Amino acid sequence: QVQLVESGGGLVQAGGSLRLSCAASGRTFTSYGMGWFRQAPGKEREFVAAISWTGSIGTITYADSVKGRFTISGDNVKNTVHLQMNSLKPEDTAVYYCAAREVVGAYDYWGRGTQVTVSS
């Protein structure tokens, strides 16, 4: 069984920064990709950023709403992923979830989430 644990959430003022981290534990696996999703109150979960690996080459994608402000990084050997969030806005307030997948397609594993609150 694989567990993903997020850390680094908190309360920050608009314009501030936070760094989220996620680490996998439990059964050993090689991740094809890891990503971040978020869910704000009353809204559906949405994609934030993802990184996928082909060998040692990583491909990164971002939601348009976070491009230029958020940076994802990760290690597919250690199965860790980070999300550096700068210039945070109140609309970034949400529970942020880490996810991992072993092959192309749907994500296999999900963390329990970490709360990010951005005050205006």
Side-chain angles (χ1 to χ4, degrees):
Q1 192 172 1
V2 174
Q3 295 85 36
L4 299 180
V5 178
E6 304 97 337
S7 61
L11 172 64
V12 65
Q13 289 187 333
S17 298
L18 283 174
R19 179 177 170 85
L20 304 183
S21 295
C22 173
S25 63
R27 180 177 62 83
T28 301
F29 71 102
T30 299
S31 58
Y32 164 77
M34 299 185 75
W36 291 94
F37 294 75
R38 67 187 182 185
Q39 187 168 19
K43 295 186 177 181
E44 294 187 352
R45 186 170 58 193
E46 64 176 4
F47 168 77
V48 175
I51 182 168
S52 58
W53 293 281
T54 303
S56 61
I57 300 175
T59 300
I60 290 174
T61 56
Y62 295 102
D64 288 343
S65 59
V66 307
K67 281 181 182 177
R69 300 188 299 121
F70 291 10
T71 302
I72 189 171
S73 60
D75 186 320
N76 67 328
V77 175
K78 297 179 179 178
N79 288 328
T80 57
V81 66
H82 309 280
L83 187 68
Q84 178 66 43
M85 305 185 294
N86 299 328
S87 302
L88 282 161
K89 304 175 181 180
E91 51 263 43
D92 293 319
T93 295
V95 177
Y96 283 70
Y97 297 91
C98 170
R101 51 185 173 176
E102 296 191 53
V103 296
V104 175
Y107 284 87
D108 303 293
Y109 313 112
W110 292 84
R112 292 188 175 185
T114 184
Q115 176 70 47
V116 171
T117 303
V118 184
S119 63
S120 57

